[in-house]
Amino acid sequence: MNVITTDELLQKIDAGENISIIDVRESDEVATGIVPGAKHIALGQVEASMDQLDKSVPHYIICKAGGRSAMACEILEENGYNVTNVAGGMMSWEGELQF
């Protein structure tokens, strides 16, 4: 499984790279702030929502600390998606938040 730090992800965002960020936390957690531009798909909905994701774009998967995003990465990887787990998750995120 590919892994990236929150600092590395922030650099990609700042560089304007065409990436997709998927936040797999629950709705109440996302209400406290999400990475700007991220799409919210709770972990339990990942399999049912895969058809909404473009297989030609790299997806960076984030949660609170990295555990649930790792599970989501496994599901998506098994289905042919290019995914990277964001280590440390939102607990390590030092960039702006969208509410």
Side-chain angles (χ1 to χ4, degrees), residues 58-73:
H59 299 282
Y60 294 85
I61 315 298
I62 194 166
C63 66
K64 182 177 180 180
R68 286 176 285 177
S69 54
M71 288 187 264
C73 283

Side-chain angles (χ1 to χ4, degrees), residues 34-53:
I34 190 170
V35 174
K39 181 174 188 152
H40 174 232
I41 303 175
L43 177 60
Q45 299 300 315
V46 168
E47 277 191 271
S49 303
M50 281 190 282
D51 61 338
Q52 298 174 27
L53 304 177

Side-chain angles (χ1 to χ4, degrees), residues 40-98:
H40 174 232
I41 303 175
L43 177 60
Q45 299 300 315
V46 168
E47 277 191 271
S49 303
M50 281 190 282
D51 61 338
Q52 298 174 27
L53 304 177
D54 184 346
K55 283 191 176 181
S56 70
V57 175
H59 299 282
Y60 294 85
I61 315 298
I62 194 166
C63 66
K64 182 177 180 180
R68 286 176 285 177
S69 54
M71 288 187 264
C73 283
E74 287 180 21
I75 293 166
L76 292 166
E77 231 171 24
E78 288 171 3
N79 287 278
Y81 289 87
N82 175 2
V83 293
T84 300
N85 188 28
V86 181
M90 293 303 290
M91 291 179 70
S92 298
W93 181 253
E94 294 183 359
E96 292 182 29
L97 293 176
Q98 179 179 318

